[in-house]
Amino acid sequence: MELRFLGGADEVGASCTLIEIDGQRILVDAGIRMGPSNNSKWPGVGNMDKIDALLLTHAHSDHTGSLPLLAKENILPEKVYCTHPTKQITQVLLEDALKRVEKSRSPEYTSDHASCALSRMSSVSWMEPVQVSDCAKATWIPAGHILGAGMIYLEGKQDSILVTGDVSGDDQLTIPGIVIPEWCRPDVIVMESTYGNRQHKDRACQENALVQHVTRVTEAGGRVLIPAFAVGRSQEVILVLKDSLERRQIPLYVDGMVRRLNDVYSRSVPDLKPSLQCRAIGGGDIFYSDFVRKVESRDHRERILSGPPCCIVASSGMLNGGVSNAYAGHFAGDPENLIAIVGYQGEGTPGRALVNLSKAKELEERKWKLSQKEYVNVRCEVKEYSLSAHADRMKLTELVERLSPKKCFLVHGDDSARKGLAESVRNSSPTVDVRLPENGRTYTYTKRAGITNGKQFGNYRILAELNSYLQKIGATGPFRARDLAEYWFGTEATTLFEEKLFQLFLTLDRQEVFVRDRQSPHLFRLGWIV
């Protein structure tokens, strides 16, 4: 089995992984880079050969935004497999993206390419294996990140791999959390690491703080803007605030693409939490009421801006365009107002700049570049709340422990997040080979048969035989103790005991059949020539 990371390996964005298994070429996700970047926003899909199947973990644009480009390049397969909510959400996101693309002087794709991508999307059911190619089947397992998000368990004739996409360890207000079935035992995991170097703050405390601050500001005569990701985060925020603001009769307005996606959530009753299912089945509206309303038009928006205190939830979440950017221009200069940041703010985005500026003590240091032409002096309150839909270091580490793969690739994270999570996983699951892949590189997983054949040798003879074999097959290393144990005993027969045994052998190796790597003492290279 080979994995080639076309995007999303050593970054957050442009997730796109090509898996070759039993001669089949399976692409998992096809995203774009979000926000400003020194690189192209597209993953490295140019000049790609034909692929046999395309599987989507979830609908966020950093996992689906390149679908029209694949259609344009004539490499989109006949079927793009995903859950039904992912199909519906992706349609909304691609239609919104198309509006921006068509305004460009040199559009990267056309409406025909987007329509082609949408027409090939085929819905799958949870926990039911789907034959996605001649020699491979895939099963979607609930990931808990957003509506329709799934981990994909891909099985070939001999090897298996789990691509987590983005996962949430706990239940949210809208959807249940991750599910880990007993039968899921992958050889390899490709796992996100967005928050791999940190622990989330207590979710209930963060939600309560948001409610209290919104209430305080609005009751004192101010307005609150909550720029939120249109998929997932906005729906969570609305439910966090809904009951409290209704009791106080404080208007909560919903604007931007959030409105269409609320409709998708409301139609996806079987995928919601049981409490919301009951409300929907009973005829109640999940999100809206007399005090929670959609912004209906530009005139309505103007009336809100000049009207009484209120709270507004609007896209985009990083203030990178969208209606939240327009609201922010009106709100930021008034010290009575609050801009509440409830999600990840990418480097180079207006949202990240706002968070950084809010920490400046001097007013002249708080000049905010809202767009290419507009600057605003930030006088309003700016507060951050940890309402992430990504699992943190502890939850991700526990996931690897439960699944116990042979190899784990950490992706979808910055350098510090991936390194922090790698250390945590290595400490908790020392038998797992943890790798930090790079975009554009290909990685191989092969089950080793083992050469022991029941031979009963002392430790020196075992190392000498193994040294000779590795030279014969051209394996130059460096090797972990685990690798050497697998070459000797075989992948399936190697447990923590066999690994510890080889660690002892290497410690006792006075003849230097294997020598420690100078830069990484836990790695070994061929030493004594047999």
Side-chain angles (χ1 to χ4, degrees):
M1 179 167 59
E2 287 188 350
L3 287 77
R4 186 181 179 197
F5 294 92
L6 304 175
D10 47 8
E11 61 181 334
V12 177
S15 291
C16 190
T17 304
L18 181 64
I19 302 170
E20 295 196 34
I21 184 169
D22 296 325
Q24 306 290 291
R25 294 164 59 82
I26 313 294
L27 193 65
V28 178
D29 287 341
I32 58 173
R33 293 181 177 90
M34 308 296 290
S37 173
N38 293 328
N39 302 317
S40 164
K41 71 177 183 179
W42 309 105
V45 296
N47 301 318
M48 185 191 294
D49 294 332
K50 178 180 179 294
I51 55 178
D52 297 291
L54 173 53
L55 321 178
L56 301 178
T57 59
H58 66 288
H60 274 148
S61 296
D62 61 332
H63 294 257
T64 62
S66 286
L67 291 175
L69 184 66
L70 295 182
K72 178 182 178 181
E73 298 294 331
N74 293 317
I75 52 178
L76 192 70
E78 287 302 312
K79 284 192 175 182
V80 178
Y81 296 94
C82 62
T83 64
H84 185 63
T86 294
K87 179 179 178 179
Q88 291 186 301
I89 295 171
T90 300
Q91 179 175 352
V92 175
L93 297 183
L94 287 185
E95 289 175 354
D96 182 74
L98 186 61
K99 296 175 185 176
R100 296 190 297 274
V101 169
E102 290 178 332
K103 292 178 181 178
S104 171
R105 292 182 179 179
S106 54
E108 296 99 339
Y109 58 82
T110 67
S111 60
D112 288 342
H113 299 133
S115 297
C116 175
L118 292 169
S119 69
R120 297 190 184 185
M121 297 181 78
S122 179
S123 299
V124 301
S125 300
W126 295 115
M127 302 293 198
E128 294 184 8
V130 178
Q131 198 73 36
V132 295
S133 70
D134 291 342
C135 302
K137 62 180 180 179
T139 306
W140 275 254
I141 302 168
H145 175 59
I146 62 169
L147 181 71
M151 302 187 294
I152 299 175
Y153 183 48
L154 182 64
E155 300 172 273
K157 293 179 179 178
Q158 294 183 336
D159 302 326
S160 62
I161 181 171
L162 180 73
V163 182
T164 69
D166 296 344
V167 297
S168 175
D170 300 311
D171 288 354
Q172 298 184 62
L173 295 177
T174 51
I175 58 173
I178 189 174
V179 174
I180 308 175
E182 288 296 326
W183 46 260
C184 183
R185 287 291 179 267
D187 297 308
V188 177
I189 293 181
V190 177
M191 186 174 74
E192 71 131 317
S193 59
T194 316
Y195 288 90
N197 61 339
R198 70 192 80 174
Q199 299 298 122
H200 291 320
K201 297 177 181 178
D202 182 83
R203 178 65 174 250
C205 290
Q206 292 295 297
E207 291 177 356
N208 289 336
L210 177 62
V211 171
Q212 291 173 10
H213 293 159
V214 170
T215 302
R216 172 179 57 79
V217 169
T218 51
E219 289 185 337
R223 298 181 179 87
V224 178
L225 170 65
I226 306 179
F229 300 123
V231 188
R233 197 64 48 85
S234 291
Q235 290 74 35
E236 291 289 312
V237 168
I238 291 169
L239 294 184
V240 166
L241 296 171
K242 186 173 186 289
D243 291 343
S244 177
L245 297 189
E246 283 179 340
R247 287 196 301 271
R248 293 171 173 82
Q249 298 187 359
I250 298 170
L252 173 61
Y253 295 105
V254 179
D255 203 352
M257 192 167 48
V258 182
R259 297 166 296 183
R260 289 189 65 188
L261 290 162
N262 281 356
D263 294 340
V264 174
Y265 268 71
S266 297
R267 294 194 302 266
S268 304
V269 177
D271 291 276
L272 301 176
K273 283 185 68 173
S275 57
L276 291 188
Q277 291 183 24
C278 292
R279 186 186 302 177
I281 293 171
D285 195 291
I286 295 173
F287 300 110
Y288 300 111
S289 68
D290 290 341
F291 289 94
V292 183
R293 309 167 194 163
K294 295 180 184 179
V295 178
E296 301 292 350
S297 64
R298 181 174 297 181
D299 288 342
H300 189 193
R301 193 174 297 140
E302 292 298 326
R303 292 197 300 272
I304 292 169
L305 288 171
S306 60
C310 63
C311 178
I312 301 168
V313 176
S315 54
S316 73
M318 297 185 194
L319 290 158
N320 196 22
V323 292
S324 65
N325 191 274
Y327 283 118
H330 285 84
F331 284 15
D334 189 339
E336 292 187 346
N337 295 336
L338 166 67
I339 298 180
I341 303 297
V342 295
Y344 178 80
Q345 303 299 309
E347 288 290 346
T349 63
R352 174 64 68 90
L354 176 64
V355 170
N356 293 339
L357 283 173
S358 68
K359 299 171 184 176
K361 294 181 180 178
E362 300 298 328
L363 185 60
E364 58 267 20
E365 297 177 4
R366 302 183 72 180
K367 195 172 184 179
W368 181 32
K369 185 177 181 181
L370 191 60
S371 65
Q372 290 296 327
K373 299 180 179 180
E374 185 178 4
Y375 286 82
V376 179
N377 286 321
V378 178
R379 293 186 175 89
C380 70
E381 282 190 89
V382 179
K383 290 184 176 295
E384 295 181 86
Y385 306 86
S386 179
L387 302 179
S388 177
H390 290 269
D392 60 16
R393 178 180 58 196
M394 181 178 69
K395 294 293 185 180
L396 293 170
T397 302
E398 289 175 353
L399 178 59
V400 178
E401 281 188 84
R402 289 191 60 176
L403 295 174
S404 189
K406 306 295 189 305
K407 185 170 288 190
C408 176
F409 293 94
L410 299 181
V411 300
H412 200 283
D414 61 28
D415 190 54
S416 60
R418 294 203 302 159
K419 287 181 178 178
L421 182 57
E423 180 181 4
S424 180
V425 171
R426 286 167 181 151
N427 288 336
S428 67
S429 302
T431 64
V432 177
D433 181 8
V434 181
R435 299 294 178 94
L436 306 182
E438 300 174 9
N439 284 343
R441 290 192 57 185
T442 299
Y443 300 81
T444 302
Y445 171 77
T446 304
K447 288 184 178 178
R448 299 173 178 127
I451 64 171
T452 177
N453 294 323
K455 299 172 185 175
Q456 299 292 322
F457 296 142
N459 61 291
Y460 171 77
R461 182 66 183 279
I462 287 175
L463 294 181
E465 290 261 340
L466 191 54
N467 182 301
S468 178
Y469 171 74
L470 292 173
Q471 289 189 63
K472 182 178 179 180
I473 66 173
T476 59
F479 309 99
R480 302 172 306 141
R482 172 82 186 194
D483 297 325
L484 297 175
E486 288 188 7
Y487 277 117
W488 185 256
F489 293 108
T491 300
E492 296 299 321
T494 301
T495 66
L496 182 59
F497 173 79
E498 283 76 21
E499 180 181 351
K500 294 291 186 183
L501 187 63
F502 258 79
Q503 288 176 349
L504 176 61
F505 290 170
L506 292 163
T507 301
L508 298 174
D509 179 15
R510 305 302 180 207
Q511 301 298 322
E512 293 191 337
V513 179
F514 290 89
V515 295
R516 291 186 184 273
D517 186 275
R518 292 181 178 180
Q519 294 183 339
S520 302
H522 66 287
L523 299 177
F524 296 84
R525 297 184 180 275
L526 296 177
W528 175 65
I529 305 300
V530 178

